[in-house]
Amino acid sequence: MTRRPFVCGNWKMHTGSQTAVSLALDVSEGAAAHSAVEVAIAPPFPWLENVARRLRDGPVSVAAQNCHFEEKGAFTGEVSPGMLRDAGCTHVIVGHSERRTLFGEDDSLVSRKVAAVLAASLRPILCVGETLEEREAGSTMDVVGRQVQKGLGKVELVELPLVTIAYEPVWAIGTGRTATPEQAQEVHAAIREIICSLGGEDAGSSMRIQYGGSVKAANARELMSMKDVDGALVGGASLDAFEFTEIIAAAAENA
Ligand code: PEP
């Protein structure tokens, strides 16, 4: 089965209102030449609506970096999936390791968020990945397997094709240290096996599994040439339109 590569830029807590728009427009221009690749960007909450308006009808979708699992209520400071949809988002990143480690999100909370995102007709990008200690202890697949199974625990089988998984080894995020293509492939293949066992061959073979962790133009081609690596979730390098476009171009070569 051929899977359309999916590259998403996670801007984290970067950009101002003007730079967000100019970066988004530059990415849109770069992505236009690579229609074989699905492209999204995830700006900070305050810029979502304006960026989505400026990108409307273009090749780049807008994702949020997080959400709450409730639709509305007394949850000061939180943002619901429905609000994100109204703002023009189509995707939400859920369970990013920075949310898990810095904000105490556990698998149970992540699974509620994944379900809420789908209930709002948005598409989750579920992030999973092991820490360095976990890798060195040989428990990578236990950890990643648990995060995948629990994260998808509230997802109906028919909704599985709407989910993207991002494998992001925590030790590779923002560190400049990337998993080797072989390390990424090994975990991606194991994740795909889990999806096959949860939802059947079709669900497993059609699910996009992105790699994330210090992806840049210089290593994207090699990583995305691996059989089960279907794109990238890109942090730092997505803040540079030229570099990000090169990553999109690398994904297009493997489409
Ligand atoms: C990320 O934030 O998901 C990420 C992978 O960051 P970086 O590319 O900077 O490692």
Side-chain angles (χ1 to χ4, degrees), residues 33 51 74 76 97 121 124 138 161 175 186 188 227:
V51 166
T76 302
S97 71
S121 304
T175 59
E186 186 185 19
H188 282 230
K227 181 168 154 281

Side-chain angles (χ1 to χ4, degrees), residues 1-7 34-38 123 160-161 163-165 184-185 187-193 195-196 200-211 223-232 248 250-255:
M1 159 133 4
T2 50
R3 296 177 292 271
R4 188 177 181 215
F6 180 20
V7 175
H34 305 290
S35 58
V37 182
E38 180 175 349
R123 306 175 69 133
L160 267 182
V163 179
T164 297
I165 291 184
Q185 169 59 27
V187 180
H188 282 230
I191 293 173
R192 197 173 304 290
E193 275 301 308
I195 305 301
C196 286
E201 275 304 313
D202 279 359
S205 59
S206 61
M207 176 161 290
R208 267 103 49 95
I209 307 174
Q210 299 172 320
Y211 170 78
L223 283 160
M224 289 190 277
S225 70
M226 303 312 282
K227 181 168 154 281
D228 290 293
V229 178
D230 308 313
I248 297 166
E253 277 177 28
N254 289 297

Side-chain angles (χ1 to χ4, degrees), residues 10 12 96 98 168 172-175 212-215 233-237:
N10 173 16
K12 311 194 189 196
H96 190 280
E98 285 151 18
E168 301 204 298
I173 297 179
T175 59
S214 298
V215 174
L233 182 54
V234 185

